[in-house]
Amino acid sequence: MGEPGFFQQVYEVAKLIPYGRVTSYGAIARYLGAAGSARMVGWAMNGSHGMEDVPAHRVVNRKGLLTGKHHFKGTNLMQQLLESEGVEVVDNQIQDFERLFWDPNSLREAT
DNA sequence: ATTCTGACGTGGG
DNA sequence: CCCCACGCCAGAA
């Protein structure tokens, strides 16, 4: 079971994203040691469709833009999910992105 | 087997 | 701040 595939890794990390928080593809990629392969994270999320355990809507690009919103069922489903969690989104741009940004690498530091 | 794409990131101007 | 070009590597055709 738990095959540590790249996709599975991405899913596991995405599940760790706290409620009302967001992170970037690059942050996850770097956490997996695949810094530079941020594209793969997004590609992996492609297979996350149907996985409610994987909050793909909490994963955005490094600008805090909802680049992948077009891949959700609804055109603005991603934004709705984020706003549902208290994340303010305007014109596909997350407000206070730096404040809501959550870096998975912070897990390793564990204070 | 090859070729292209892709929900990104970084660097340079 | 913005825009352009390159790199990255796994999956799909």
Side-chain angles (χ1 to χ4, degrees):
Chain A
M1 50 179 256
E3 288 301 303
F6 192 87
F7 279 48
Q8 195 63 36
Q9 289 274 56
V10 174
Y11 303 148
E12 291 300 304
V13 177
K15 291 176 184 176
L16 297 176
I17 304 174
Y19 182 91
R21 289 298 193 96
V22 292
T23 190
S24 63
Y25 305 96
I28 297 175
R30 182 166 44 180
Y31 176 72
L32 299 177
S37 303
R39 292 182 172 182
M40 302 296 82
V41 178
W43 200 255
M45 300 309 274
N46 238 4
S48 71
H49 276 292
M51 291 184 179
E52 296 182 359
D53 295 325
V54 181
H57 60 274
R58 292 182 191 156
V59 185
V60 296
N61 69 347
R62 99 141 191 110
K63 301 179 228 174
L65 236 186
L66 282 57
T67 50
K69 79 163 214 162
H70 197 62
H71 285 249
F72 281 75
K73 285 184 179 180
T75 317
N76 49 336
L77 175 61
M78 188 175 187
Q79 180 170 336
Q80 290 179 32
L81 290 170
L82 288 170
E83 292 182 328
S84 179
E85 298 184 357
V87 179
E88 187 177 5
V89 180
V90 178
D91 189 29
N92 301 336
Q93 171 63 51
I94 295 177
Q95 304 304 296
D96 296 310
F97 175 63
E98 295 183 3
R99 183 174 67 86
L100 299 173
F101 185 80
W102 175 82
D103 194 331
N105 296 284
S106 63
L107 296 172
R108 300 211 220 130
E109 296 185 3
T111 52

